[in-house]
Amino acid sequence: MISRKLTLLLGWLLALATTHAQTVDYTKQIVPLFDTYCIDCHSADDADGEFVLDTFAALMKGGKEGVAIVAGKGNESMLVKFLEGRSGRGGKNEFMPPGKREKLKPEEIALIKAWIDAGAKGPIIAEGKPMPKEVITPKIIPTLPPKRSIQAVAFSPKVQFIAVGRYGEVELLNPVTRAVIRKLTGIKGKANAVAFSPDGDAVYAAGGEAGIVGEVKRWKTSDGTLQQSFEGHLDAAYALAVSPDGKLIATGAYDQKIRLWDTVTGKEVALLKGHNGAVNGLSFRPDGKVLASASADRTVKLWSIPTGLRLDTLSQPTKEQTSVVFSADGKQLFAAGSDNRIRLWNISADAKEGTNKIVTSRFAHEGGILRLALSLDGKLLASTSTDKSLKLWNTADLTEKLPLEKQSDWSSALAFTDKAQLVAGRIDGSLSVYESTTGKTVMAPAPAKPAVAMAAKPTITTITPRGLQIGTKQKIIITGKNLDLAHVKFQDARLQAGSDLMASSSTQLVTYVNVPADMPRGGYEVFARTSQGETEKVKLYADDITPTTSTVADFKAAPVAIAKLPASLWGTLTEIGQHDAYRFTAKAGEELVLDLAVAQVGSTAKAPTLEIMDTNRTVLAVNRGLDSGSDPFLAWKAPADGDYIVLVSNTTMDGSAGHAYRLTIGALPYVTAWSPLAAQIGQDTKVTLIGHHLGDKASVTMKADKEGNMNVPLDAKALRFRSMPVLRVSGLTQIEEKEGNDDVKTSQFVTLPVTINGSMGFLARASEKAEPRLESLGYGKADTDHFAFDAKKGQTWIIETLATQAGSPADTKLDILYADGKPVQRVLLQAVRDSYVNFRSVDANNPDIRLQNWEEMELNEFAYLNGDVMKIVRMPRGPDGGCFFYINGGKRRAYFDTSATSHSLDEPCYVVEPR
């Protein structure tokens, strides 16, 4: 009985093994093992023992040791012997992979043996074609719907379709309604390029999987039937062109190859080699005799058709080329790429080397150029860029005809229709059509409304007023969309909206808000909530001054009169070139503080200007920000009794509904700075507040109990400030700077470690083998302060100046000197080329410097400018652009103990190498 059971069990195992062997798939189960363990040493490029595993044919051929696989005999096959360590070569049993490399697991070797025992069947592929591979990746469910990016578009005047290439499919659209007529599926990866046959009967798309395979598909336009697959590229295909007679297609891929295919048979006609980078663009000359290619190797090449002989290499581009297109008559060629330029060449009849002269190189966009497209009549050229711009050019002289609206994302696809309309497809999945004569968007007819409208999420467009008065009950009007039955909510529980809405509709809410008398000044978020969700949060700003809101119409006749001061004035620069003028009365010698809040209130205005003038329009004071990028602030004394005008504008003269501002004006107590900037733990520190109208609140005494940053305990209700005064607290000894230390000979002696508090001297801290800081407060005269200290050879001291991070406008510079005043050498610089600053002055707040001779410089080179050593991060993007240098905390960064300081116009500059 036992023997019978054992026989049955063995029989079942043998049957299972036979079934398993028969079901082993070479492509899906065997090739991944070779890729994991073997291909590094046995690829066609440099195969150990001349044993190649790139193709099935090479595998079965074997290597120097002979045939590696004997079909039907797994144990006798040399491949298995090496994998199991029983090769017997040279009297030793060698393992493969060799050495300490990871070996195949027993079950993996068993799988290979089972495949060999079953006959070592290979994949069914054409001879010489690459072995297909399968990418196995984890499935990650996106948290948001994918954008369905548009990679390419094409138009056929014959069938009146727009082809739109997306991931894994091509859509055929009606050019008028934009409705999807049908979808063409079956292509791997992104459809990077699409094209119609000349008669419109077929649609081609190029795509594939990165690093695996490139492929081109052809579908029948009328019903979407897949007609042909063109496979041969070893990486994703990026470029596609159909010959004028429709008999050939050319494909280019990341594998740096161009392949010509017969469209009838699907066979490869020629393989074009010569590029050293991905092939991004292809274009046939209208006569079909020349093919142009654009590549990441910074060249454009010309090829003879159908032989594939290279005719010429156009090497003028300086960066990757992304697109190329022949003119309508074939006598000229346009190309563009990452160097921001469109180049134009005259192409000779035979296109041979040396006969194709460049005509012009036109700076076209601030960013790299993504795509070019030529109108069907050949008179217009369209270009799109990474700066989200889209432009039309006259092909006759390559002059700009029309800039179109700024795109919502990169426009990766362009094509003209037969109605001279431009189709633009974008990475965010959107598609637009533009009139080439006006640049206006061509709107598709609105689709029929569904029988049942779905509820939509509410949104807020504006809230009026933006200013709230502390201690009052105030009406606010909220406008937006889908606000039906909304509830108004505040993020801060101290603010309460009225329980009943005064008015409610889908576009407007009117309610009251109670602002407590003890509410601090500041911004508070409000939003609306419905059953469909919440709106975005918008800030309202509470103040103890009654807010007044004006519109652009209020300033048309005359300046708006301010009834009394202090005043809180809200406005919006909605129109281009708008200037809001307010009229106020002041007495001689009276000091008024004017605080223009723009960035502080979330405005989209980027270059606000604040001006004071008399009634004759003579400008008395102007400010465009205390620091670069900050909001304007003025403390101004009236020269005489009378009326004055304060003007609010935007330097760039643009306007929009988002260009809001708040102007606070009056004899108000403002804190603009404080001293010292540091304190010692456990010690009383008297902080002097610097500003205007501070009275008896100009000083505060505080005691810090722990290291770190500590707010100064000032009267926040009585005093106004833009940033809360903060002290840096440490355990280091604090001393005061003594004036008279402007020279090395009169240096103030200090014992380290120490913190030195000074005014445009140093507020410093230094400690041996620690993290000290040397801090500076920049108020008053810009002098040079010297401090002497003893140090021993080999000691490491860290000395740091800090001003801006502590709220100071000082732009500090630190030098370490010997006792005789000579500098301690930290690095030796050697100039390798020279330049100078042009057009505008330089300060540390702006990383952009206009340099001459920048063309000779390289990225990451060091530049020396009047004591500063900086590093180039980006080259100019146009003739009026500047070099950009690395920044730190929003300011230009300096290297080798130098400090990014202000400079005057036309300073000499040297590109240097550290020695």
Side-chain angles (χ1 to χ4, degrees), residues 734-899:
Q734 307 274 320
I735 67 170
E736 297 294 325
E737 178 228 345
K738 297 179 181 178
E739 284 299 336
N741 58 353
D742 296 341
D743 189 86
V744 173
K745 297 178 181 179
T746 57
S747 298
Q748 179 180 349
F749 186 83
V750 297
T751 301
L752 305 185
V754 68
T755 298
I756 308 169
N757 298 314
S759 175
M760 205 44 228
F762 287 106
L763 171 59
R765 167 170 89 181
S767 62
E768 183 180 3
K769 298 179 181 178
E771 292 186 1
R773 61 180 63 178
L774 184 63
E775 303 177 325
S776 171
L777 177 64
Y779 303 104
K781 183 180 178 182
D783 58 3
T784 302
D785 295 327
H786 294 74
F787 299 92
F789 61 93
D790 288 332
K792 295 182 179 179
K793 183 178 181 179
Q795 285 182 324
T796 300
W797 293 93
I798 302 174
I799 304 173
E800 178 188 3
T801 63
L802 184 149
T804 304
Q805 296 178 51
S808 169
D811 195 355
T812 59
K813 183 178 179 180
L814 175 65
D815 289 316
I816 308 299
L817 310 175
Y818 288 108
D820 59 3
K822 294 181 179 179
V824 176
Q825 182 175 303
R826 304 298 300 277
V827 64
L828 182 63
L829 302 175
Q830 175 176 322
V832 295
R833 58 186 64 92
D834 67 333
S835 178
Y836 59 90
V837 179
N838 190 17
F839 187 70
R840 59 172 175 256
S841 298
V842 176
D843 64 61
N845 298 304
N846 188 359
D848 171 10
I849 300 179
R850 289 276 295 272
L851 295 179
Q852 291 297 106
N853 305 328
W854 62 267
E855 296 87 350
E856 300 177 357
M857 303 178 189
E858 300 289 343
L859 293 179
N860 289 316
E861 279 192 323
F862 290 103
Y864 175 82
L865 178 61
N866 194 28
D868 295 349
V869 178
M870 304 159 301
K871 199 173 185 181
I872 302 172
V873 67
R874 194 180 82 191
M875 290 303 183
R877 292 186 171 183
D880 295 326
C883 282
F884 276 74
F885 295 86
Y886 284 94
I887 61 173
N888 184 18
K891 293 182 179 291
R892 192 156 35 79
R893 180 180 176 184
Y895 294 78
F896 308 120
D897 293 340
T898 63
S899 175

Side-chain angles (χ1 to χ4, degrees), residues 541-600:
Y541 295 85
D543 203 324
D544 47 21
I545 304 174
T546 304
T548 300
T549 302
S550 301
T551 65
V552 63
D554 297 326
F555 300 96
K556 295 296 185 182
V560 172
I562 302 175
K564 65 174 184 177
L565 299 178
S568 178
L569 309 170
W570 284 87
T572 306
L573 301 173
T574 56
E575 296 184 354
I576 296 175
Q578 181 179 335
H579 292 69
D580 287 359
Y582 297 91
R583 191 183 188 103
F584 65 94
T585 302
K587 295 182 179 180
E590 179 183 13
E591 184 182 53
L592 297 178
V593 176
L594 296 92
D595 181 7
L596 183 61
V598 179
Q600 299 169 68

Side-chain angles (χ1 to χ4, degrees), residues 50-262:
E50 299 179 8
F51 183 36
V52 177
L53 295 177
D54 287 295
T55 65
F56 178 74
L59 167 67
M60 299 305 291
K61 179 181 178 181
K64 290 177 66 175
E65 299 290 333
V67 176
I69 292 174
V70 180
K73 299 180 180 180
N75 276 324
E76 298 179 17
S77 294
M78 188 181 303
L79 173 66
V80 175
K81 291 180 181 180
F82 272 100
L83 295 178
E84 292 182 337
R86 54 185 181 87
S87 65
R89 185 170 66 175
K92 296 186 290 185
N93 288 325
E94 294 186 20
F95 269 101
M96 291 294 171
K100 296 182 179 180
R101 296 184 59 181
E102 184 181 1
K103 307 296 188 292
L104 275 75
K105 301 177 181 61
E107 59 268 26
E108 293 172 329
I109 297 175
L111 189 66
I112 293 175
K113 289 171 68 176
W115 168 69
I116 297 174
D117 288 339
K121 304 281 188 184
I124 303 175
I125 58 173
E127 180 63 29
K129 299 298 181 184
M131 194 177 299
K133 300 178 183 179
E134 184 175 354
V135 180
I136 302 174
T137 56
K139 185 176 181 180
I140 301 174
I141 300 175
T143 57
L144 295 173
K147 290 182 178 180
R148 299 187 69 242
S149 300
I150 296 177
Q151 305 298 325
V153 294
F155 174 77
S156 171
K158 296 290 186 180
V159 293
Q160 290 293 306
F161 277 148
I162 297 173
V164 177
R166 299 184 188 267
Y167 186 90
E169 67 181 19
V170 176
E171 297 173 343
L172 295 183
L173 306 185
N174 181 311
V176 177
T177 66
R178 322 284 164 79
V180 179
I181 306 303
R182 64 182 54 91
K183 292 185 178 182
L184 314 176
T185 59
I187 189 168
K188 294 179 181 178
K190 300 174 184 176
N192 295 313
V194 292
F196 286 94
S197 60
D199 57 11
D201 289 347
V203 181
Y204 297 88
E209 295 187 35
I212 304 299
V213 66
E215 67 174 14
V216 177
K217 300 287 187 182
R218 183 181 71 198
W219 297 270
K220 192 175 181 180
T221 307
S222 59
D223 59 10
T225 303
L226 181 63
Q227 294 181 314
Q228 185 66 267
S229 292
F230 305 83
E231 297 182 1
H233 287 290
L234 302 180
D235 212 320
Y238 288 161
L240 168 68
V242 182
S243 65
D245 60 8
K247 295 180 179 180
L248 295 175
I249 63 167
T251 60
Y254 193 80
D255 63 5
Q256 307 177 9
K257 305 295 190 298
I258 301 170
R259 296 176 186 268
L260 295 180
W261 310 85
D262 186 305

